[in-house]
Amino acid sequence: MYFNSGKVLIAFLLMMLLGSAWQTSLQAQSPLQADANSAEQTNPGSEEILIDKIVAVVEDSIISFSDIEKAVLLYPLLRSHRQSEEAFYRSVLTDLINYRTLYLEFNKDLILNESDYEKIQLQVIEKAGSIQELNGILKRFDMNWDQFRDFIKERVFFDKIIKEKFQFKSSIEFKAVEAFYQHEYVKMQRMLNLVPRSIEEMAPEIENHLRKIETGKKIDSWIRDIKSTYNIKVFL
């Protein structure tokens, strides 16, 4: 009996030692292993969890960082080759704030219909490359078609309200056309070793270009005045 009890005691001590060594090895695991374990605990099934953040608030209406990412991927935005990513994202955020502000200001006065959505939807599909590619982008953000339409609603509304408020063309004096022709167009053509077209040929194009610039300034001023009446906070 004493011999058998001794063997049991030895086996018990071995189990204790092995258990202690196994516990020590877990505590001494690498940081990567620890992170993986932590990720598995907070991320069951190894599914990706996206953490969003608030980048702006218009009154009590939130704009998130994922809204910027959606706009960058969906809208036909122009980015200068000299513009940093941070500056570009801030520019996109400004656009989203403008869309949200005008929507809050005028959504009771203007009703959107199906034809209003068509232009933006076609631009988005064209940028994506195809409807299949667009569906892939929407899947990335876990969006269905109705949620996509809800996201672009404020952009569609913005375009419609701008068109209605600024439907009258700005008047451009001929001396402004002439000045642009001499100091901008002709100068650029000569730099490129090209023969300038006559002012008679270029006048309509220059006038249209200057009108867009003038209208853009008026729109920017109008939007700034409206935004000044709203409580807007930016966190980006």
Side-chain angles (χ1 to χ4, degrees):
M1 287 291 294
Y2 177 80
F3 179 76
N4 289 340
S5 298
K7 288 199 295 185
V8 171
L9 178 60
I10 291 172
F12 177 75
L13 289 174
L14 285 172
M15 289 176 63
M16 290 290 291
L17 287 171
L18 288 172
S20 177
W22 179 76
Q23 184 67 27
T24 301
S25 69
L26 283 179
Q27 294 173 350
Q29 66 184 331
S30 70
L32 288 176
Q33 290 173 317
D35 289 342
N37 288 343
S38 176
E40 289 178 0
Q41 291 173 1
T42 59
N43 193 4
S46 298
E47 295 179 356
E48 184 180 6
I49 295 178
L50 299 177
I51 301 177
D52 210 349
K53 77 170 187 175
I54 297 172
V55 292
V57 176
V58 181
E59 294 298 335
D60 58 351
S61 184
I62 292 172
I63 297 174
S64 67
F65 189 79
S66 65
D67 290 330
I68 297 179
E69 292 186 312
K70 292 172 188 175
V72 168
L73 288 175
L74 295 173
Y75 294 147
L77 302 170
L78 296 178
R79 176 181 175 182
S80 168
H81 68 280
R82 297 180 179 178
Q83 192 176 29
S84 68
E85 184 176 44
E86 180 180 355
F88 177 59
Y89 270 56
R90 288 183 183 276
S91 174
V92 174
L93 176 58
T94 297
D95 289 341
L96 294 177
I97 291 173
N98 291 343
Y99 303 159
R100 182 67 52 84
T101 303
L102 293 194
Y103 183 78
L104 292 175
E105 181 74 11
F106 296 106
N107 72 87
K108 294 181 180 178
D109 305 326
L110 198 65
I111 298 175
L112 296 177
N113 52 54
E114 188 61 33
S115 62
D116 295 321
Y117 282 87
E118 290 178 358
K119 180 181 178 180
I120 295 298
Q121 286 180 173
L122 288 174
Q123 289 177 342
V124 170
I125 293 171
E126 183 178 355
K127 179 177 180 179
S130 66
I131 189 67
Q132 290 78 15
E133 293 291 335
L134 174 57
N135 286 332
I137 295 173
L138 298 183
K139 186 176 180 180
R140 170 178 173 180
F141 292 104
D142 196 26
M143 297 170 68
N144 57 34
W145 189 256
D146 288 338
Q147 290 169 325
F148 161 70
R149 296 250 306 183
D150 187 60
F151 176 75
I152 67 172
K153 175 179 64 181
E154 292 176 2
R155 167 65 187 270
V156 173
F157 187 91
F158 178 88
D159 287 354
K160 185 169 185 175
I161 196 69
I162 292 296
K163 185 176 180 180
E164 290 203 0
K165 295 291 184 180
F166 294 89
Q167 57 182 309
F168 299 106
K169 294 182 178 180
S170 301
S171 177
I172 304 297
E173 296 182 0
F174 182 74
K175 65 179 182 180
V177 174
E178 190 175 24
F180 185 91
Y181 176 83
Q182 294 293 343
H183 302 298
E184 300 292 338
Y185 171 72
V186 173
K187 182 180 178 181
M188 181 59 68
Q189 292 297 97
R190 287 174 178 169
M191 287 176 60
L192 297 173
N193 292 320
L194 298 174
V195 178
R197 294 160 60 187
S198 69
I199 190 170
E200 290 78 13
E201 291 179 284
M202 291 301 302
E205 293 182 35
I206 294 175
E207 184 179 358
N208 187 50
H209 173 70
L210 294 178
R211 184 176 289 114
K212 286 182 179 179
I213 294 175
E214 186 64 26
T215 301
K217 290 179 180 178
K218 290 180 179 179
I219 292 173
D220 288 344
S221 176
W222 178 69
I223 293 175
R224 278 196 302 270
D225 289 342
I226 295 175
K227 288 167 69 176
S228 68
T229 66
Y230 280 75
N231 180 24
I232 299 174
K233 297 179 179 178
V234 177
F235 307 105
L236 184 63

